[in-house]
Amino acid sequence: MASRAKTKAWRALMQAQWLKALVTRDSDHREWEDESLAKDVVQLHIAAEQQPDSSDQHLSQPSSRPKHGDKGKNVKAITSEFRDAATALETGQLVKDPYFTLFEAVGALEIMDPKMDSGFLAEDEPLDDTFDVLKEVLPEEVVGLMDQMLCHEMAWHMGHPLSTSLFTSYHLDRLLWPDPRRLDDARFDKHEQVSQEDGLLHVIFRAYCLATIKCCNFVHRRVSTEHYYEEEDFVSNLYNRKLLDDFRASDMQQLLDQALKVAEEISAWDDALQKAISVRLTLRRRLLIAMQFDLNPDQEARIRCWKHCSELLPALIQTHTVSKPVTAAFSIKIQRRLASSVPPRPVVEASFGETHAFLANLCRDAADVYRVLEYHGSTNILNFACTFQSRKPQPSIYVRCLLQSMIFHDMKVLGSVTITQTIHDDLEELVLPADILLDPANGNVEAPHDPRFQIAKEMRAFVLRVGDSFLDIFRAVCMNRPRMRRMLCHLVSDWESVQLEAENLDVELRKYTHEKPLTEGDPTGIEIWSFPLSSWAYYYKLRQMEWIIQLGFELDIYQDDELPGMYWYLSNVAGAKIQHLERIQTFVTRQSGQSRKLSPSQKASFRQCFSLLDVTLLETSATQWFAIALSKLHTVLSMLPPRVEGHPPLPYSTAELRHALRMRPFMQLSIPEPAPYAELSAATSIPSGTAEDESQGSIKDQAMSMLEIAGEAARTARKEWEALGKLDAKTARCVNCEEWWRASVKDIIRACIACSITVATTEKGVQTALGMGRPLSDVLTAEMPRVGKRYHDFWIVPKLTVQQADVLITPYSKLSSWTLHCTKYGRHQHMGLQARCDSKHVLAIPVLLFQAAARLKSDGMALQYEKTGTGLGQARHEDKLVCLSISSPFRELSPQSFLVKSARSVLQFCPNGTVAYDSVAISSSDYSNLGFFEQFAAAAYCPLNNRDNAGGTKITCSAGNCPLVESNDVISVYEFENSLKTDVTGYVAIDNTRALTVLAFRGSQSVRNFVTDANFPATQTDICPSCTAHAGFWDSWVEARPGVMAALKTAAASHPNNRVAVVGHSLGGAIADLAAAEIRKSGVTADLYTYGAPRIAGATLSNFITNQNMGGNFRVTHKDDPVPRLPPIVLGFVHISPEYYISSPNDVVPTANDITKYTGAVNLLGNSGNNPLNTDLSAHGWYFNAISACGGSDFEFKK
């Protein structure tokens, strides 16, 4: 009986659920049209569920909740009727109801599941809304409500639905439902008559809410009229609400003005509250104006509107502290009611920090996007869109749709140029300069037999055919990055059709242009035609192919083992593009030579065409070389054991299948044909050959050959990208987006530099591992940096880590006759190595990175090593302390590596007293000064501080990386920039706040060249007898010395009590060393602060500077910074002492505990003890902050 009762109860419940489904079935947005009916059905659902199931008697009893006669409730007990209907069915009988579809059936299964049923009420959860929107609120709560509403609004901009963000507000729900017919109907008290005396709620907050809704209306209108992707970028569903479409923005502005006036008249508020509310009302008003006229042709006015919004954001976050959130004012119940047909979703509210950052980017991007309105040709527009869309973070969907509207709206490009004119301009600039096909006069000819009439007719048809395809390229660039790639994959097939149709049209147009072909010099006399329209289409097809492949790298689509092949394919596509551009260039050159008399406009057209071809060829060639470099590098790293770390298991995939997937977008293309798997595999693997060839030596030779190609290709790519970066904005077609374009080029150059270093490291690893018959894993492991950790998103340069191995010796060809052997000394487990040549023992390598204690033996001058208790390097000869420097886990016995051929060379190399083994923590005052003076070095990179004038400039940093200096009264008194012989640049400034005179040197723009240059010449100085220094550093100081010393003398006269400080970063720190030495020599006490400075001199000069005792020496280094390890110690260069070593990682402000002080000119516990193969260029640009950020990049090049 109990089982039967349960079955009946289940059937009755299903019928109740079916009734609920029928009530909601016909609503497009799954909303309740009659709210009272909705509540009744929910109550019926609850009553049916709560029926006891123990017996038939219980089944016949009506529900006790809700009760008959409850006021305001229309309830009818239908349990008995459902029971009778269910009893009439046979067990297992199926009843087909045409109105009970699969949707309702699945919905019935989800009922009463709190995660799936939008109408589910928890225990003791009331059905009605409990929040009172008319409740009196405090000023702090109004500020909190405004901030919460702003957070929900930005969450909508980020892609969340209105039902889970802004529409969860009870206040907005009251204003928007039912739909107000007049603006006065949009009130909080529409159902109850209350006094309007509460100006805080009914005037101030109401105006803010209405203006917020109107802003959303403008955003929704802009996004909905452009190409975007629902749920992926933006959710446009309004849930049967209107965003005040019928009301003017000027009405909202009047309400905001009235609210501002009311806020100013309330004297009971303190200044903080007054400012907080005024800032939010003013910001809302400015946002409203900016979004209302987002397509206004007045470019400067639009930019000003968004910049005015940005100006208020610091005050917004500053006054957020006075806000008091009202969490109950936002409820998930509203979401359930609005989106009743979908499972309930949690309320989404971005944090205030996220909101502020997003809004700041929105205002910045919206202001910048108006730069595109200045027409400089379609290539410039495309470059603008590409560089603008590649910003991090990517512009929001509203800004991207705004860019779409500006590019093409109302049949106009940039609001002023027709699509026909745009395509004609593009054709003229690329393939048809001063050509009859684009002569505007053709359209004026009315005689059908005239060739010009036929040309105009055919060209109109061509523009009509390619117009949408051409605009789709711009639309694709305006999409989010995954959608852009997907759209391009479809577009490239369309451009294949465009190319074929254009080829036919080219043949047809020859009848009217009377073009003559080129004939090759061979006897066959093959005719070559220009095919200008087809060439134009083929160029854009190749450009889309490049983007598709490059976006695959950016989006991490390719597995690590696919990188060699995809970079190889990218180089092939770039090669095809180069050949095609050279072909176009040939015909354009011929055309210019055949024209006897050219008008000035025709000459300008040819110059413009040749300029574009040259720039495009240079960029494509740089792309090809860099792709070749990375293809070869990744091939070596993936083919030599072990494979690159990080490969996920691929049990259901093969290389052939993945290759077919990567080539799928290009399978329909006739030219260039997709690369067959066999060809790609052969190009990106090391051939095995015969059994004899499979020896380690053969593999080594092949790997080294590939690495040699990779190194040369990386160097060539770097030179070409540098040449590209030196072009002016007009030539590079980056007008109005020059800074973004240059930043991208600099990032690629940084990637080229890193690639060269990685290739060199890999060469050493291959030589060592395969030379000893060891696996490469004993030496190197490789990690593929993901997006956000790369120098540039398109170019994946592996990050190598050198393994801490035992003794590794790579025999050098010149030393092949030497005898190498290991020796144990007593019970010590650390081995030493010896090599014998010409009856003399030479230095070899101890185990690991530790220095060893060495005692010179009289017999045979052999050197013996063992680990000391301090783990430092020491050597003694006749009880005199000498120094040895070994900082690599493996060494080559070569003249280029550290190789001591006799004890005498050791003594000459490192004089007495230069080995360091003392380390101490730094004081709080030293820590404070290190961070403070670092900002003076950072300011030296800012162009405004070194304009080569008499001074008078307040020292500031556009990158915001010298706030302590900016907060002081610091004025430059002398500035110098890029002198004739060297690139020495800097300033002399007076800090009136701290009574300082500061001499600051900027890091050299040629620092990258310095890092990769093996030539470090030394020269004699006049600072002290027999004192030598790096020739480049000394020349820089000598050139700057007259002006600097004169400025310091003048400053001392006007500020005699000031203490002098000399600062510099990178190569600027090396010049600062020499400058401080000479300043002290003149009798002036000067503190010296250098950051990431290289070794400047021999031991004599370094010891002289260390022991001057005319001010403190503070040489600061950073972990893995390569510059302080140059020039090598083996060449006789050493540092001044002491060293302040920062061990914290990049992008982290070091604490006092992260900095250790080491004494001595040579020590292996600081930066010099870092593994030299773990070279991090980014570490050079980060000390207490991004020290060289004002220069636009951590590493610039000398111009």
Side-chain angles (χ1 to χ4, degrees):
M1 179 65 68
S3 176
R4 181 183 177 189
K6 289 183 178 181
T7 301
K8 290 182 178 180
W10 180 83
R11 288 177 177 172
L13 180 58
M14 289 300 100
Q15 293 288 349
Q17 295 167 344
W18 171 66
L19 176 61
K20 178 184 176 184
L22 287 178
V23 172
T24 61
R25 188 191 68 231
D26 296 330
S27 175
D28 290 340
H29 298 283
R30 317 304 299 169
E31 299 172 350
W32 301 106
E33 296 181 358
D34 187 336
E35 294 191 5
S36 63
L37 176 61
K39 296 177 181 179
D40 293 341
V41 174
V42 173
Q43 292 291 359
L44 283 173
H45 159 58
I46 295 173
E49 182 197 14
Q50 292 184 346
Q51 292 299 316
D53 58 0
S54 59
S55 66
D56 292 336
Q57 180 180 2
H58 288 152
L59 286 172
S60 63
Q61 295 178 356
S63 171
S64 60
R65 189 180 66 152
K67 298 180 179 180
H68 294 282
D70 284 354
K71 185 176 180 180
K73 305 295 182 184
N74 182 15
V75 179
K76 178 181 178 182
I78 58 173
T79 305
S80 298
E81 298 179 18
F82 280 161
R83 185 199 63 182
D84 295 340
T87 304
L89 298 175
E90 296 293 335
T91 303
Q93 180 180 355
L94 297 177
V95 179
K96 180 174 176 57
D97 189 327
Y99 296 103
F100 198 79
T101 65
L102 179 62
F103 181 84
E104 281 77 18
V106 174
L109 297 177
E110 297 169 353
I111 289 179
M112 298 309 296
D113 183 344
K115 295 182 179 179
M116 302 299 294
D117 186 359
S118 60
F120 174 79
L121 293 176
E123 186 70 24
D124 299 328
E125 181 181 0
L127 180 63
D128 296 324
D129 297 330
T130 58
F131 183 79
D132 183 9
V133 297
L134 300 178
K135 177 184 176 182
E136 184 177 354
V137 290
L138 299 173
E140 297 87 345
E141 292 176 327
V142 168
V143 176
L145 285 169
M146 290 178 176
D147 287 349
Q148 286 177 278
M149 199 164 290
L150 182 63
C151 292
H152 284 295
E153 181 186 5
M154 293 302 106
W156 178 54
H157 278 265
M158 295 174 189
H160 298 283
L162 281 170
S163 63
T164 62
S165 54
L166 204 57
F167 279 4
T168 59
S169 167
Y170 279 115
H171 292 94
L172 294 187
D173 188 61
R174 179 65 66 90
L175 292 174
L176 294 177
W177 188 259
D179 183 30
R181 303 297 181 186
R182 298 176 300 114
L183 191 58
D184 289 341
D185 295 336
R187 297 181 293 120
F188 298 135
D189 58 337
K190 59 177 62 179
H191 299 303
E192 302 177 30
Q193 294 298 324
V194 299
S195 173
Q196 292 285 332
E197 295 180 357
D198 186 3
L200 185 60
L201 178 65
H202 295 285
V203 177
I204 295 176
F205 188 55
R206 173 175 175 264
Y208 185 87
C209 290
L210 292 175
T212 299
I213 297 170
K214 193 61 183 177
C215 286
C216 294
N217 174 234
F218 290 137
V219 171
H220 186 271
R221 182 184 63 186
R222 175 62 49 227
V223 174
S224 300
T225 55
E226 298 299 335
H227 290 73
Y228 74 100
Y229 290 89
E230 186 75 27
E231 299 287 346
E232 184 177 310
D233 286 322
F234 189 73
V235 180
S236 61
N237 194 350
L238 299 182
Y239 307 95
N240 272 352
R241 300 289 194 263
K242 289 186 177 180
L243 299 176
L244 304 179
D245 309 42
D246 302 327
F247 301 101
R248 297 175 301 178
S250 58
D251 296 333
M252 311 301 166
Q253 294 177 35
Q254 291 179 3
L255 291 176
L256 288 171
D257 291 339
Q258 180 184 358
L260 282 167
K261 184 177 180 181
V262 170
E264 292 173 357
E265 294 174 350
I266 300 178
S267 59
W269 298 345
D270 58 27
D271 293 341
L273 279 174
Q274 191 88 36
K275 181 180 179 181
I277 291 180
S278 297
V279 164
R280 282 151 181 78
L281 292 174
T282 305
L283 175 62
R284 181 56 61 185
R285 190 180 190 281
R286 292 181 180 180
L287 286 172
L288 186 66
I289 295 173
M291 292 177 176
Q292 177 186 4
F293 301 105
D294 55 9
L295 290 185
N296 189 304
D298 188 347
Q299 175 185 357
E300 294 301 324
R302 297 302 92 219
I303 293 176
R304 283 196 301 271
C305 283
W306 287 105
K307 286 187 175 180
H308 288 163
C309 296
S310 299
E311 292 169 358
L312 286 174
L313 296 183
L316 177 71
I317 199 168
Q318 180 184 2
T319 56
H320 177 65
T321 55
V322 304
S323 66
K324 182 179 180 181
V326 184
T327 307
F330 301 84
S331 173
I332 195 175
K333 286 187 177 181
I334 303 179
Q335 186 274 332
R336 292 175 172 178
R337 186 166 66 245
L338 294 176
S340 59
S341 64
V342 299
R345 298 180 181 178
V347 176
V348 177
E349 180 181 358
S351 69
F352 192 75
E354 293 173 338
T355 297
H356 180 269
F358 185 88
L359 184 57
N361 290 331
L362 175 66
C363 295
R364 180 203 63 182
D365 294 339
D368 289 343
V369 78
Y370 288 97
R371 300 187 193 179
V372 77
L373 289 175
E374 188 176 339
Y375 182 72
H376 293 278
S378 58
T379 303
N380 198 96
I381 299 174
L382 197 55
N383 286 340
F384 181 98
C386 289
T387 55
F388 182 77
Q389 289 293 94
S390 62
R391 302 174 90 172
K392 298 292 185 294
Q394 188 179 23
S396 68
I397 179 61
Y398 169 71
V399 177
R400 299 204 305 269
C401 289
L402 187 58
L403 178 59
Q404 287 187 61
S405 299
M406 292 179 187
I407 291 177
F408 187 71
H409 184 70
D410 289 340
M411 303 305 295
K412 297 285 186 180
V413 174
L414 303 187
S416 59
V417 186
T418 64
I419 181 62
T420 300
Q421 185 61 47
T422 304
I423 295 177
H424 280 196
D425 291 347
D426 200 72
L427 286 167
E428 180 181 9
E429 190 175 36
L430 185 64
V431 293
L432 292 171
D435 196 276
I436 189 175
L437 294 179
L438 302 178
D439 190 348
N442 294 341
N444 300 327
V445 178
E446 298 180 357
H449 63 275
D450 193 313
R452 292 176 296 172
F453 177 87
Q454 296 299 327
I455 289 175
K457 177 183 175 182
E458 296 294 348
M459 290 302 296
R460 279 195 297 268
F462 177 73
V463 170
L464 186 64
R465 165 63 182 89
V466 303
D468 282 340
S469 300
F470 188 65
L471 289 175
D472 281 343
I473 295 178
F474 294 89
R475 295 189 181 107
V477 174
C478 293
M479 298 293 104
N480 63 63
R481 306 302 272 182
R483 186 59 62 175
M484 174 183 172
R485 186 177 187 274
R486 181 177 177 83
M487 192 171 177
L488 289 173
C489 289
H490 294 289
L491 277 178
V492 73
S493 298
D494 181 44
W495 277 85
E496 171 75 9
S497 301
V498 170
Q499 181 186 351
L500 295 176
E501 295 175 28
E503 187 174 336
N504 295 330
L505 182 57
D506 283 326
V507 175
E508 182 70 20
L509 288 172
R510 286 182 206 156
K511 297 185 299 185
Y512 311 114
T513 60
H514 307 294
E515 177 190 355
K516 296 185 182 300
L518 284 176
T519 303
E520 291 185 346
D522 58 43
T524 59
I526 299 176
E527 294 181 342
I528 304 177
W529 300 90
S530 63
F531 290 98
L533 301 182
S534 177
S535 296
W536 177 78
Y538 185 43
Y539 165 78
Y540 275 102
K541 184 175 72 173
L542 289 171
R543 192 166 188 184
Q544 291 172 69
M545 293 178 69
E546 279 185 329
W547 283 336
I548 291 170
I549 301 170
Q550 289 172 328
L551 285 169
F553 297 117
E554 178 179 337
L555 299 173
D556 278 336
I557 290 176
Y558 311 129
Q559 297 289 334
D560 290 346
D561 60 344
E562 294 180 277
L563 296 180
M566 295 312 298
Y567 276 119
W568 175 85
Y569 187 56
L570 176 61
S571 70
N572 278 13
V573 173
K577 187 178 172 186
I578 289 173
Q579 293 178 356
H580 182 59
L581 289 168
E582 290 174 343
R583 182 183 185 279
I584 295 174
Q585 199 172 48
T586 299
F587 281 97
V588 172
T589 302
R590 185 189 71 158
Q591 184 181 354
S592 65
Q594 290 178 345
S595 302
R596 297 180 180 178
K597 294 183 179 181
L598 295 175
S599 65
S601 62
Q602 289 175 326
K603 291 180 180 178
S605 179
F606 276 107
R607 284 196 299 268
Q608 190 79 350
C609 181
F610 284 124
S611 170
L612 177 62
L613 290 173
D614 289 342
V615 171
T616 309
L617 275 169
L618 181 61
E619 182 180 3
T620 309
S621 176
T623 299
Q624 182 187 34
W625 281 115
F626 202 9
I628 291 172
L630 288 178
S631 175
K632 298 297 183 184
L633 175 60
H634 283 289
T635 296
V636 173
L637 291 176
S638 62
M639 293 304 159
L640 289 176
R643 300 179 66 82
V644 177
E645 287 191 348
H647 282 178
L650 304 171
Y652 305 107
S653 175
T654 64
E656 292 86 348
L657 288 176
R658 282 184 283 131
H659 170 263
L661 182 63
R662 304 310 177 212
M663 294 297 114
R664 182 178 297 173
F666 317 122
M667 293 304 295
Q668 298 181 4
L669 306 184
S670 57
I671 53 172
E673 295 181 356
Y677 174 73
E679 182 181 356
L680 183 146
S681 178
T684 56
S685 61
I686 299 177
S688 58
T690 64
E692 182 180 355
D693 291 334
E694 290 178 2
S695 66
Q696 293 281 17
S698 177
I699 295 176
K700 173 185 174 183
D701 292 341
Q702 297 170 43
M704 293 302 294
S705 176
M706 283 192 171
L707 290 173
E708 183 179 357
I709 296 173
E712 183 61 33
R715 287 189 291 272
T716 304
R718 168 186 162 184
K719 292 177 182 178
E720 294 188 346
W721 283 114
E722 287 178 354
L724 195 67
K726 294 177 181 179
L727 299 177
D728 61 271
K730 186 176 181 181
T731 304
R733 272 69 176 178
C734 61
V735 178
N736 295 326
C737 61
E738 181 179 2
E739 62 270 34
W740 313 329
W741 178 82
R742 294 198 185 281
S744 177
V745 171
K746 286 183 178 181
D747 288 341
I748 297 175
I749 294 173
R750 294 177 63 198
C752 291
I753 296 294
C755 181
S756 296
I757 295 175
T758 304
V759 168
T761 303
T762 307
E763 286 177 336
K764 293 180 181 180
V766 171
Q767 286 180 340
T768 301
L770 295 183
M772 296 186 62
R774 293 172 177 258
L776 194 59
S777 59
D778 283 358
V779 182
L780 302 174
T781 57
E783 176 187 354
M784 298 303 150
R786 298 308 173 192
V787 177
K789 301 295 184 181
R790 303 171 188 164
Y791 296 101
H792 192 280
D793 289 340
F794 289 171
W795 306 103
I796 305 176
V797 180
K799 182 178 181 181
L800 298 184
T801 302
V802 180
Q803 297 298 306
Q804 300 294 338
D806 288 340
V807 180
L808 298 175
I809 293 296
T810 303
Y812 201 77
S813 58
K814 295 182 179 179
L815 308 177
S816 58
S817 62
W818 293 22
T819 302
L820 304 177
H821 63 274
C822 301
T823 306
K824 285 187 178 181
Y825 295 98
R827 292 175 295 177
H828 292 285
Q829 300 300 314
H830 301 279
M831 294 187 298
L833 300 179
Q834 290 182 330
R836 180 179 294 275
C837 180
D838 298 330
S839 301
K840 291 184 179 180
H841 290 78
V842 298
L843 175 68
I845 312 305
V847 177
L848 300 178
L849 293 178
F850 294 106
Q851 286 283 70
R855 184 172 297 279
L856 186 65
K857 289 186 175 181
S858 58
D859 52 342
M861 300 183 67
L863 297 177
Q864 175 180 328
Y865 295 89
E866 62 183 25
K867 180 183 175 183
T868 64
T870 61
L872 294 172
Q874 297 181 9
R876 290 187 177 273
H877 174 56
E878 298 176 356
D879 295 326
K880 293 181 180 179
L881 188 64
V882 296
C883 128
L884 302 172
S885 174
I886 301 169
S887 58
S888 173
F890 64 89
R891 289 288 182 180
E892 297 178 356
L893 292 179
S894 67
Q896 284 75 26
S897 66
F898 181 83
L899 184 60
V900 181
K901 295 186 177 180
S902 68
R904 179 171 298 178
S905 65
V906 175
L907 295 174
Q908 290 177 347
F909 169 68
C910 205
N912 299 342
T914 59
V915 176
Y917 54 88
D918 293 331
S919 63
V920 295
I922 67 170
S923 65
S924 59
S925 61
D926 282 349
Y927 172 76
S928 176
N929 286 335
L930 293 180
F932 175 68
F933 285 102
E934 187 250 17
Q935 296 187 16
F936 278 105
Y941 282 94
C942 302
L944 294 179
N945 300 331
N946 45 45
R947 287 185 168 181
D948 195 15
N949 56 37
T953 304
K954 177 173 174 56
I955 301 299
T956 59
C957 296
S958 57
N961 56 342
C962 62
L964 297 177
V965 174
E966 289 180 327
S967 63
N968 288 359
D969 180 17
V970 184
I971 305 297
S972 68
V973 295
Y974 175 67
E975 301 171 10
F976 49 99
E977 178 186 17
N978 287 336
S979 54
L980 297 177
K981 183 178 178 182
T982 66
D983 62 354
V984 59
T985 298
Y987 63 85
V988 178
I990 302 297
D991 185 342
N992 294 307
T993 305
R994 295 184 57 163
L996 293 170
T997 299
V998 180
L999 168 60
F1001 291 94
R1002 186 198 66 187
S1004 171
Q1005 291 181 321
S1006 55
V1007 63
R1008 283 193 180 117
N1009 298 329
F1010 175 79
V1011 171
T1012 58
D1013 192 356
N1015 184 25
F1016 302 97
T1019 188
Q1020 186 67 36
T1021 72
D1022 57 11
I1023 296 178
C1024 57
S1026 302
C1027 289
T1028 60
H1030 184 282
F1033 307 155
W1034 178 249
D1035 289 344
S1036 295
W1037 165 237
V1038 168
E1039 191 166 9
R1041 179 167 55 185
V1044 167
M1045 297 301 285
L1048 290 175
K1049 184 177 181 180
T1050 303
S1054 59
H1055 299 78
N1057 296 323
N1058 279 14
R1059 187 173 181 89
V1060 176
V1062 185
V1063 302
H1065 168 249
S1066 186
L1067 277 71
I1071 305 172
D1073 286 338
L1074 300 173
E1078 192 142 352
I1079 292 170
R1080 292 167 176 172
K1081 187 179 175 182
S1082 68
V1084 176
T1085 298
D1087 294 323
L1088 174 61
Y1089 291 85
T1090 66
Y1091 304 84
R1095 299 184 178 102
I1096 61 159
T1100 304
L1101 179 55
S1102 294
N1103 289 337
F1104 177 82
I1105 299 174
T1106 298
N1107 298 320
Q1108 277 186 301
N1109 297 322
M1110 293 284 289
N1113 293 328
F1114 301 89
R1115 181 174 67 84
V1116 187
T1117 65
H1118 189 197
K1119 178 182 178 182
D1120 290 335
D1121 183 350
V1123 174
R1125 297 199 292 268
L1126 297 174
I1129 297 179
V1130 68
L1131 299 181
F1133 290 86
V1134 294
H1135 278 299
I1136 66 171
S1137 178
E1139 174 186 8
Y1140 291 79
Y1141 175 64
I1142 300 176
S1143 59
S1144 58
N1146 298 343
D1147 302 325
V1148 175
V1149 178
T1151 65
N1153 294 330
D1154 296 323
I1155 305 176
T1156 306
K1157 177 182 177 182
Y1158 296 108
T1159 58
V1162 178
N1163 72 79
L1164 292 206
L1165 294 183
N1167 175 273
S1168 296
N1170 295 156
N1171 194 326
L1173 297 184
N1174 287 348
T1175 296
D1176 186 1
L1177 292 174
S1178 300
H1180 186 60
W1182 181 272
Y1183 273 78
F1184 287 79
N1185 58 23
I1187 191 168
S1188 58
C1190 262
S1193 174
D1194 288 347
F1195 308 99
E1196 294 184 354
F1197 283 90
K1198 183 175 179 180
K1199 299 180 180 178

